[in-house]
Amino acid sequence: MKYKVDMSNLPKHIAIIMDGNGRWAKKYLMRRAAGHRAGATALRRLVEQMNADGFAVLTVYAFSTENWKRDTQEVSDLMGLMHEYIQQYINDAKKNNVRMRTIGDLSRLEPSLQDKIAHLADLTRNHDGLLLNIAINYGGRDEIVRAAGKLARDARQGKVDLDGLDEDAFAAYLDTSSLPDPDLIIRTSGEMRLSNFLLWQAAYAELVSMDVLWPDFKIDHLYQAVAQYQQRKRRFGGRS
Ligand code: IPE
Ligand code: IPE
Ligand code: MG
């Protein structure tokens, strides 16, 4: 390993904006779908290695609430890949201790994909390895609006004390309830924006943008980002 990483002090929750599949495909004169397929393979390999290395939580941005704007062929290619990806984890669930869950509004997905996701989450519920959290039809603003809606419905039924509402009580309505906030957010392909990812949860995350297209991302890139993270001084608004 080229980078100095303190393995006893890994970030608990790493989140990745997996960007650059299209540019990767273009670079190799392939269709965008081939880029997405290579991206899914890169994720599978990374998850296996992060699990082996003892990482706790990985959230990945797979499909945003804005990605429906892409042409129908690309959207259907992406949905097809998700079916395949989830199915492979279902097939391997017994050989593998990764726990799988999702964030995002799944209600807009095909019912058969929703069923597969629920099945996989159930199959792996008691697994004690890496928690792989996949953001599908996820948008930070959408998540916050849905949380506010749920809170309002609970308030109408007298189930919540609005006078006592604080950040923790609100966060319990988010899709990420029960997850720690991300410590480190990595974006590949050199872009420097959140694109509606984890808006609430990113409040004090350390951001690392890397000049690598997602399908080329290897565990070594992850350690490079972790090494950068470990050199940062996190102050959370206080003084170091
Ligand atoms: C990321 O790659 C995958 C998704 C957003 C679904 P892109 O498809 O955005 O790749 P670029 O940004 O066009 O290179
Ligand atoms: C963000 O990438 C969403 C995912 C990686 C799933 P995009 O490629 O959709 O983001 P923009 O359009 O460049 O902001
Ligand atoms: Mg992109």
Side-chain angles (χ1 to χ4, degrees), residues 11-208:
K12 270 206 180 59
H13 183 178
I14 297 176
I16 305 182
I17 303 174
M18 308 183 289
D19 197 14
N21 295 349
R23 277 162 281 178
W24 185 90
K26 193 168 179 195
K27 184 173 152 192
Y28 294 103
L29 308 175
M30 292 187 219
R31 297 176 53 237
R32 291 183 65 83
H36 294 313
R37 183 168 289 282
T41 304
L43 177 60
R44 176 169 294 278
R45 193 179 48 216
L46 181 73
V47 165
E48 204 176 292
Q49 291 169 320
M50 285 179 74
N51 186 39
D53 288 359
F55 284 89
V57 184
L58 172 67
T59 295
V60 291
Y61 206 2
F63 193 91
S64 75
T65 47
E66 285 73 45
N67 286 147
W68 298 104
K69 291 181 196 162
R70 299 189 179 195
D71 63 45
T72 44
Q73 182 60 54
E74 183 166 1
V75 169
S76 103
D77 288 341
L78 284 165
M79 292 299 151
L81 265 175
M82 277 186 261
H83 267 285
E84 272 183 46
Y85 192 87
I86 302 289
Q87 186 61 51
Q88 281 187 30
Y89 273 100
I90 291 176
N91 297 346
D92 295 347
K94 285 210 174 69
K95 304 183 248 171
N96 177 327
N97 66 341
V98 174
R99 184 150 70 97
M100 225 286 300
R101 57 167 282 176
T102 60
I103 53 173
D105 180 4
L106 301 187
S107 70
R108 194 170 163 188
L109 306 180
E110 275 172 32
S112 62
L113 182 54
Q114 293 181 40
D115 290 348
K116 257 187 197 161
I117 290 168
H119 181 50
L120 180 56
D122 191 49
L123 275 177
T124 62
R125 202 176 23 169
N126 296 318
H127 285 190
D128 58 0
L130 177 74
L131 172 56
L132 172 62
N133 179 35
I134 310 182
I136 307 180
N137 190 26
Y138 175 87
R141 289 185 173 183
D142 178 70
E143 178 192 37
I144 291 168
V145 170
R146 285 186 289 104
K150 282 181 250 173
L151 174 72
R153 280 187 292 277
D154 277 1
R156 197 161 53 198
Q157 292 174 22
K159 286 195 215 155
V160 55
D161 163 29
L162 286 180
D163 294 326
L165 185 67
D166 59 10
E167 291 182 7
D168 286 344
F170 185 79
Y173 285 91
L174 294 168
D175 297 347
T176 50
S177 65
S178 83
L179 287 178
D181 283 343
D183 302 293
L184 167 62
I185 298 183
I186 300 169
R187 183 163 187 156
T188 58
S189 85
E191 308 288 0
M192 300 205 194
R193 53 175 171 267
L194 286 174
S195 299
N196 207 5
F197 190 44
L198 301 176
L199 296 182
W200 170 284
Q201 299 84 349
Y204 274 100
E206 296 295 330
L207 309 179
V208 172

